[in-house]
Amino acid sequence: PDQPYAKRVEQWAQATDTLEPEQIAAVLTREAKLQPNDRGILTMLGAARFEAGDPIAAASAFRRALALDDKDARTWSRLGESLTRSQDGVVGPDAEAAFLEAIKRDPDQLGALYFLGQAALARGDVAGATARWTPLMAALEPSDPRRTDLQNRLAGKPAAPVAAPAAAAENGAAR
């Protein structure tokens, strides 16, 4: 704490496996300044900023990465999720556009499908939500409470307090 910030970041860079998300973001911010055209660093910075609870900075990093190469569906989806988190969970027009770009590049982007379904349902478009969530529900185990929650929401029942299925499905249940 008594050391200058730059010195602390340098120390953090030497021990990245024990860092908190805010510290990882600080190290990656430094690296992004040194290598501003490194898309990989920018996407890692976006993920670190997101985990550190700074969705606006995360969105900025993902936009910078997409400016270098706009073909990666996952980065588009992460941009949309960052924008959604910055709006307290509301899928706004910019987030929806990012999710649409994601599925244009990869129709199986489960995170994007989840949030597009959520946006459709918020507009009262149950058919649109069903179309987006059907592949997502198929990726989840039948006994998964998140699958049941999606089915209930499509049936007009209130959402249950369970984690969004997109991240879990992308981390193992699908693909």
Side-chain angles (χ1 to χ4, degrees), residues 111-175:
L113 292 171
Y114 171 77
F115 286 104
L116 288 169
Q118 183 175 304
L121 203 57
R123 286 191 297 272
D125 179 5
V126 176
T130 301
R132 299 298 189 192
W133 284 354
T134 297
L136 181 54
M137 289 185 291
L140 296 169
E141 293 293 325
S143 61
D144 192 313
R146 295 167 300 179
R147 181 178 179 164
T148 303
D149 179 59
L150 293 175
Q151 292 167 329
N152 287 341
R153 289 172 65 190
L154 289 172
K157 298 176 184 173
V162 295
E170 283 183 358
N171 289 331
R175 298 178 162 230

Side-chain angles (χ1 to χ4, degrees), residues 22-34:
E22 296 86 357
Q23 295 168 317
I24 294 170
V27 170
L28 289 168
T29 296
R30 183 191 70 173
E31 291 302 311
K33 287 178 183 172
L34 296 172

